[in-house]
Amino acid sequence: MFDEQPTASIGDIAIHPTNPNIVYVGTGETNNRQTTSFGDGLYKTTDGGATWTHLGLRETQTISRIVIDPKNPETVYVAVGGHLFGANAERGIYKTTDGGKTWNKIKFVDDNTGFTDIAMDPSNSSTLYAASYQRRRSGCCFNGGRTGQRDLEVG
């Protein structure tokens, strides 16, 4: 447990639909900018922010979106953009069914394509729509939005 989060760069925040003391915070900016700050995974508080637990996904560097299933709030989906300055196998969409104790990668395009957004179908929480985006910076240039960019139905 941490008394505070050690990472200042935030990609997304999601509040539990029935208990506002439970909050998930994904770290790392998802912008393709020269000054983008990296994160170190996902954090969760169950006491309204007094203490935080690191839930993993440390090597993702950027978490773009967190979606909590309103029908089963222990099920959480995370869209990961991945490393900005290199290939990263941790890009993708992750799912937990135990409130963040364990994670499974459920969607992956390639090492250069991450996910920027997830939307849950309001009439069927088992159907997700996700947007992927190919991004890769180097010392002089950046690649944004090439072959890996597409919209996908996840489940």
Side-chain angles (χ1 to χ4, degrees):
M1 295 268 210
F2 299 98
D3 291 329
E4 59 186 53
Q5 286 190 32
T7 302
S9 176
I10 304 299
D12 196 31
I13 298 170
I15 301 170
H16 194 283
T18 59
N19 183 348
N21 286 319
I22 299 174
V23 179
Y24 294 86
V25 175
T27 63
E29 292 180 79
T30 59
N31 303 325
N32 287 355
R33 307 285 307 186
Q34 295 88 334
T35 59
T36 297
S37 298
F38 306 141
D40 69 344
L42 192 72
Y43 291 84
K44 178 182 180 181
T45 181
T46 57
D47 56 16
T51 59
W52 294 90
T53 302
H54 188 270
L55 298 180
L57 306 179
R58 189 174 303 277
E59 290 303 314
T60 61
Q61 285 193 1
T62 56
I63 294 178
S64 307
R65 184 74 63 221
I66 305 164
V67 176
I68 302 170
D69 185 339
K71 294 180 181 172
N72 180 4
E74 292 299 298
T75 299
V76 179
Y77 299 90
V78 175
V80 171
H83 292 201
L84 183 58
F85 287 93
N88 180 228
E90 284 78 14
R91 298 173 193 264
I93 296 179
Y94 291 82
K95 177 182 180 181
T96 182
T97 56
D98 57 15
K101 293 177 187 149
T102 60
W103 293 93
N104 293 307
K105 185 168 24 173
I106 62 169
K107 192 57 102 173
F108 178 75
V109 175
D110 62 44
D111 285 353
N112 293 308
T113 305
F115 284 84
T116 57
D117 208 354
I118 303 173
M120 185 174 285
D121 187 321
S123 63
N124 181 0
S125 65
S126 65
T127 299
L128 299 175
Y129 302 94
S132 63
Y133 184 76
Q134 188 178 73
R135 69 184 210 145
R136 181 99 176 258
R137 285 201 56 94
S138 66
C140 71
C141 320
F142 84 93
N143 168 13
R146 292 206 179 152
T147 58
Q149 184 173 338
R150 62 190 96 173
D151 294 331
L152 301 169
E153 186 171 328
V154 177

